[in-house]
Amino acid sequence: MESIKLGFIGGGNIVQAFINGLHRSNQLKLTNTMISCPNANEKPIFKQYSEYIQTTTSNIDLCRFADIVLFAVKSKFIKSICNELNEHLNHDDKKRILFVSVIPGLKILTIEKWLMIKNENIVRIMYNVAVATENGCFCFAMSKLNESMKQSYENLKFLFNAVGQYAGNVTEDQLDVVTALMGSGPAFFCLVCEAMADGAVKMGLPRDLALAMTKQTMVGCANLLLSSKDKHPAQLRDEIATPGGTTIYGLHALETKAVRGAFIDAISVAAQRAQNMSKELETFENDNS
Ligand SMILES: NC(=O)c1ccc[n+]([C@@H]2O[C@H](COP(=O)([O-])OP(=O)(O)OC[C@H]3O[C@@H](n4cnc5c(N)ncnc54)[C@H](OP(=O)(O)O)[C@@H]3O)[C@@H](O)[C@H]2O)c1
């Protein structure tokens, strides 16, 4: 199999998580990867995998090299990056590439306008940092894909399958919700983990023990839920909450503090933030500078 020529514009947390996952799953060796960002040459993780990864500070060199180019920068940088690509790449250069974006709120139509292409060669993806341990989750949103892009798309899907569960394809509007649920989700679980451990510390358990137990409890519960797909979380919760026992007392305390409502709000405001980011990017779009 010919190696997959993969390029990342941006080399921060979400790219490093993917690289770590690919290495763990033994699939990094199937790729010929290039990472471009201002400090790419200084980042230890890319040096560590230098057999398969080249670094550059030139987004143009990266686009000349890669068949798949993934945008993984903060949204405020993307327009100037597109302008930079337009200055140095011609239409055929851009037509050859499958452009992939993990940037929340950045619509396919906006990328098409900014890159001045209409080649059906853009895919949006959402995934989370759990790809680092091959426990990620990913999904795509795309409009029609050009026939010539099908192989690159299959390659992309193959690599992400090595580090996470494919959750299917969604519409771009749904991707805003997916961003909140699955992109931001690990941060929400971290907050739960920290708070539960704090509760145990408050009641006298050493912190390291409290944190270790909380993490393992989260993993155990997640595996239980995943192992029986038909089981609703409420069913598992009811099985644990024996009448008059400790769990129902704890659940009552959570309901009193409206924790359920707080999580519903967290997902909805995060999704709305993704929608607003789209609007902010549209404002950029109308700005010709
Ligand atoms: N972190 C997550 O869990 C997550 C999940 C889903 C989606 N996302 C999205 O993914 C994107 C990246 O997130 P992140 O967490 O990886 O951010 P990050 O850690 O801040 O990384 C951003 C990267 O962009 C690079 N960069 C800045 N300007 C650039 C330019 N002109 N050309 C090339 N690279 C440039 C930075 O380079 P230097 O390192 O050299 O400064 C850095 O490596 C964001 O849009 C974010 O919303 C993140």
Side-chain angles (χ1 to χ4, degrees):
M1 184 181 171
E2 221 176 285
S3 60
I4 302 167
K5 287 190 173 171
L6 197 55
F8 293 90
I9 295 189
N13 292 320
I14 199 67
V15 171
Q16 295 184 21
F18 180 66
I19 296 294
N20 276 324
L22 267 193
H23 183 255
R24 261 180 74 121
S25 66
N26 220 14
Q27 307 297 320
L28 187 60
K29 64 180 184 205
L30 298 182
T31 76
N32 197 347
T33 293
M34 191 181 277
I35 317 262
S36 163
C37 62
N39 298 302
N41 299 330
E42 276 80 57
K43 293 184 191 275
I45 174 184
F46 304 140
K47 285 186 188 151
Q48 188 185 337
Y49 304 136
S50 61
E51 199 179 336
Y52 313 110
I53 296 181
Q54 308 168 57
T55 52
T56 178
T57 53
S58 164
N59 295 332
I60 308 302
D61 287 352
L62 180 134
C63 287
R64 293 200 195 286
F65 161 86
D67 294 328
I68 302 171
V69 171
L70 196 143
F71 293 129
V73 295
K74 300 277 184 233
S75 55
K76 63 181 174 187
F77 296 122
I78 190 63
K79 189 179 183 189
S80 65
I81 291 172
C82 289
N83 288 343
E84 183 194 351
L85 301 190
N86 289 334
E87 261 176 53
H88 295 92
L89 302 175
N90 63 33
H91 190 258
D92 285 344
D93 293 332
K94 288 183 272 183
K95 204 172 156 184
R96 192 187 54 72
I97 297 168
L98 177 66
F99 289 102
V100 185
S101 167
V102 70
I103 301 173
L106 180 64
K107 298 266 192 239
I108 291 173
L109 208 63
T110 306
I111 306 175
E112 280 181 352
K113 277 188 193 165
W114 288 355
L115 280 179
M116 299 192 281
I117 50 175
K118 198 108 184 82
N119 299 319
E120 298 164 346
N121 57 341
I122 300 169
V123 171
R124 290 181 65 187
I125 190 169
M126 189 43 62
Y127 69 98
N128 64 31
V129 285
V131 290
T133 57
E134 302 161 74
N135 282 306
C137 180
F138 67 101
C139 70
F140 296 111
M142 64 183 118
S143 40
K144 204 168 162 256
L145 210 56
N146 192 296
E147 266 313 303
S148 65
M149 291 293 123
K150 293 275 161 73
Q151 188 56 53
S152 288
Y153 174 64
E154 287 309 319
N155 288 343
L156 179 75
K157 211 163 153 184
F158 169 81
L159 293 174
F160 272 92
N161 257 318
V163 295
Q165 280 287 326
Y166 172 56
N169 286 12
V170 295
T171 63
E172 286 198 273
D173 285 344
Q174 289 171 332
L175 203 65
D176 291 334
V177 185
V178 169
T179 301
L181 183 64
M182 178 252 273
S184 306
F188 303 152
F189 283 128
C190 283
L191 184 137
V192 170
C193 181
E194 188 193 358
M196 283 180 59
D198 273 350
V201 171
K202 185 181 174 194
M203 296 309 290
L205 215 60
R207 181 164 296 279
D208 53 348
L209 207 59
L211 264 177
M213 282 185 193
T214 314
K215 288 179 192 175
Q216 189 53 43
T217 304
M218 288 182 102
V219 172
C221 181
N223 281 334
L224 271 176
L225 289 172
L226 283 171
S227 68
S228 51
K229 280 208 165 68
D230 297 336
K231 198 171 221 169
H232 192 283
Q235 203 182 331
L236 179 58
R237 184 201 59 203
D238 285 353
E239 285 166 17
I240 303 165
T242 50
T246 55
T247 311
I248 194 66
Y249 273 74
L251 286 169
H252 182 209
L254 290 171
E255 296 290 4
T256 310
K257 302 277 188 206
V259 166
R260 197 190 294 251
F263 276 100
I264 293 172
D265 280 353
I267 299 297
S268 54
V269 296
Q272 279 158 11
R273 174 66 191 131
Q275 288 164 3
N276 286 342
M277 286 167 89
S278 281
K279 290 190 189 120
E280 285 168 15
L281 284 164
E282 275 162 27
T283 320
F284 265 149
E285 200 178 319
N286 298 328
D287 168 13
N288 288 327
S289 62

